[in-house]
Amino acid sequence: MAIEFDDTERSLSDTLAGMIASIRGNTITLRELMIEIGEHGFLLLCALLTLPFLIPVSIPGVSTVFGAAIILISLAITLNRLPWLPQRILDRQIETEKLVPTLQKGAALVSKLDRYVRPRLHFLTQGAVMSRFNGLMIMAGGVLLMFPLGLIPLSNTLPGIAILLLSLGIIQRDGLMVAGGYLFLVATTIYFAVLAYAAFAAGQGLSQFFVS
């Protein structure tokens, strides 16, 4: 079954705020979030899943669950098929006491983008080739999001912003936002490469210290 991406009439921040306000109970699962989003679509779900990473707050287990979900959803977008998600990811319980305030703060940041979003640079958002390419870019962001670097500043924020801009740009047909997503993916890759080099250099320095 193919995926249909409809243009949204409401702003993204209004839609996200409405969904966040509907969250009830002490815990929530990804399955329940998907049911709540329903016809709004999987790109909107990707945008929602990035909100906890827009602010420097760590919620245990969220990056793994949300990152895996983003990867599988982006794979479905790339293949133009409805996504399959394993039960372990769908039914993982997440505490709403920590999640909802984080989502609300993330949505408040997204609301600042509303005035700048408009259809433009259509070649980056239209056509089967670009849909598949953008799906792969969201998948790359999901992979970077799942890296076990949650305690390092910006390690979740940078890929989260990339996925948000890609999702927002595709939903609103804003190629400039999509291009911004590409740039944040590049920035994340460079940042992780610098971290890896710094860790390697530190390891080399320690080994030389103990050898000498």
Side-chain angles (χ1 to χ4, degrees):
M1 183 175 178
I3 300 174
E4 296 293 335
F5 299 124
D6 296 326
D7 293 331
T8 57
E9 296 180 359
R10 299 173 62 193
S11 69
L12 180 65
S13 59
D14 287 344
T15 304
L16 292 175
M19 286 188 295
I20 294 167
S22 69
I23 295 176
R24 298 287 185 271
N26 295 324
T27 62
I28 192 169
T29 65
L30 184 59
R31 185 190 302 275
E32 291 167 337
L33 282 175
M34 291 181 69
I35 292 172
E36 182 62 35
I37 289 174
E39 64 183 11
H40 292 297
F42 296 106
L43 283 168
L44 188 55
L45 178 59
C46 284
L48 179 70
L49 297 181
T50 66
L51 298 186
F53 310 111
L54 302 185
I55 57 177
V57 174
S58 177
I59 303 176
V62 168
S63 64
T64 301
V65 175
F66 284 11
I70 288 171
I71 290 172
L72 292 172
I73 291 170
S74 62
L75 178 62
I77 293 171
T78 303
L79 300 176
N80 197 32
R81 293 290 184 272
L82 292 177
W84 172 85
L85 298 174
Q87 184 174 347
R88 181 179 178 183
I89 293 176
L90 284 173
D91 295 330
R92 172 75 174 270
Q93 296 287 332
I94 300 171
E95 294 183 10
T96 56
E97 182 181 4
K98 296 179 180 179
L99 179 63
V100 171
T102 305
L103 292 176
Q104 290 172 335
K105 292 177 181 178
L109 292 175
V110 173
S111 68
K112 301 182 186 300
L113 294 175
D114 281 344
R115 72 184 68 178
Y116 305 109
V117 179
R118 60 181 183 275
R120 52 190 163 182
L121 300 181
H122 297 288
F123 68 93
L124 291 178
T125 62
Q126 293 181 345
V129 173
M130 289 310 303
S131 293
R132 286 170 171 77
F133 179 76
N134 289 331
L136 289 173
M137 293 300 98
I138 294 175
M139 186 188 304
V143 171
L144 293 171
L145 190 62
M146 287 189 69
F147 272 40
L149 302 172
L151 297 179
I152 298 177
L154 302 180
S155 60
N156 285 336
T157 302
L158 289 175
I161 292 174
I163 297 167
L164 174 65
L165 292 178
L166 287 165
S167 302
L168 175 60
I170 297 169
I171 291 171
Q172 302 290 356
R173 303 294 189 261
D174 189 340
L176 186 59
M177 289 290 173
V178 171
Y182 299 159
L183 288 177
F184 269 93
L185 282 179
V186 172
T188 304
T189 303
I190 294 173
Y191 183 53
F192 283 10
V194 170
L195 290 176
Y197 177 78
F200 174 77
Q204 290 290 98
L206 286 174
S207 63
Q208 292 177 2
F209 174 80
F210 286 113
V211 169
S212 60

